[in-house]
Amino acid sequence: MSTIPTPPDFRSGRTHRSLISAWHGEEQSRRQYTAAAVLCEREGLHVLAHAFTFTALQEKEHAAICRGLLVAYGGETPPPAPDAPPLPDAPEALLNAVLRTEEDEAAKLYPACARTALEEGYPRIALTFQRLAETELLHARRFRQYAAALQDGSLFRSDTRTGWLCIPCGHLHYGCEAPGHCGTCGRDRGHFIRSDFHPFTVVP
């Protein structure tokens, strides 16, 4: 990302601080979600591990975007992000914890950062914050649907016939529940994901 001519007071402004805070926050989320994926794997909930890993990669990209803007506008390069507080060990509590964080980023944090950037004369940065808020809302919806499914028992069962995708091999099973094991690769039920719960599909 090329350097952009900016006012000399960029480093002393609130937008500069917002970018540093966002960079650290996204890096912390990446680490948390990577750790959460390991926890879910240990619990046999491989489908949740997949969702956390998928989201962690997006948070990593968000951090890179914020860092790129800092560099482009001649901002400071801060030290690495401090470690975030540990997340709950229980999968349902874990999902609810990250859901609240994503909702806060989408509804409060990034919209406020976008308004500040506009006030200080950085429309490009403001647009980035707006788009990050939109993506964090998708993350919140993703985690909400998994939390609800885990709570009501529909993570591997459905009231109606639906598709169940084996994440490792792609085998698609149809029925009211995921099979005990994949008929193609032999992996257990924990690797199956509802076709309407795939991370690329977000239920409004």
Side-chain angles (χ1 to χ4, degrees):
M1 190 175 290
S2 59
T3 301
I4 300 171
T6 56
D9 60 350
F10 174 70
R11 291 192 178 198
S12 63
R14 290 178 295 160
T15 299
H16 182 262
R17 293 194 296 273
S18 293
L19 282 171
I20 292 175
S21 178
W23 178 13
H24 282 171
E26 296 295 334
E27 266 297 303
Q28 288 177 329
S29 292
R30 177 190 65 80
R31 295 177 196 169
Q32 285 183 320
Y33 296 169
T34 300
V38 173
L39 184 148
C40 291
E41 287 282 1
R42 192 163 60 240
E43 294 290 325
L45 296 169
H46 310 288
V47 59
L48 297 185
H50 178 71
F52 273 115
T53 299
F54 178 79
T55 310
L57 290 173
Q58 294 178 348
E59 304 290 27
K60 179 181 179 181
E61 184 64 22
H62 293 177
I65 290 168
C66 292
R67 185 183 187 282
L69 285 170
L70 278 169
V71 172
Y73 282 81
E76 297 178 0
T77 300
D83 290 334
L87 291 170
D89 288 337
E92 187 175 334
L94 171 64
L95 284 166
N96 283 319
V98 299
L99 165 60
R100 288 191 295 270
T101 298
E102 297 287 354
E103 286 179 333
D104 184 69
E105 289 177 346
K108 299 177 183 178
L109 178 62
Y110 284 140
C113 290
R115 289 192 296 271
T116 296
L118 279 177
E119 290 170 3
E120 294 189 335
Y122 305 109
R124 177 178 173 184
I125 297 177
L127 180 59
T128 297
F129 279 131
Q130 290 168 1
R131 288 175 173 169
L132 287 177
E134 293 167 0
T135 304
E136 302 301 351
L137 180 59
L138 293 179
H139 291 177
R141 290 176 176 174
R142 178 179 305 146
F143 289 132
R144 185 185 303 115
Q145 67 184 10
Y146 282 111
L150 195 61
Q151 182 176 16
D152 65 18
S154 64
L155 189 61
F156 300 113
R157 291 184 175 83
S158 174
D159 292 335
T160 59
R161 180 179 169 85
T162 189
W164 304 90
L165 178 71
C166 176
I167 295 172
C169 78
H171 171 68
L172 188 60
H173 170 84
Y174 287 96
C176 290
E177 62 181 85
H181 291 82
C182 177
T184 301
C185 70
R187 287 182 171 85
D188 63 52
R189 160 176 293 193
H191 291 276
F192 277 86
I193 186 170
R194 293 173 59 126
S195 59
D196 59 344
F197 273 24
H198 195 282
F200 296 106
T201 303
V202 180
V203 178

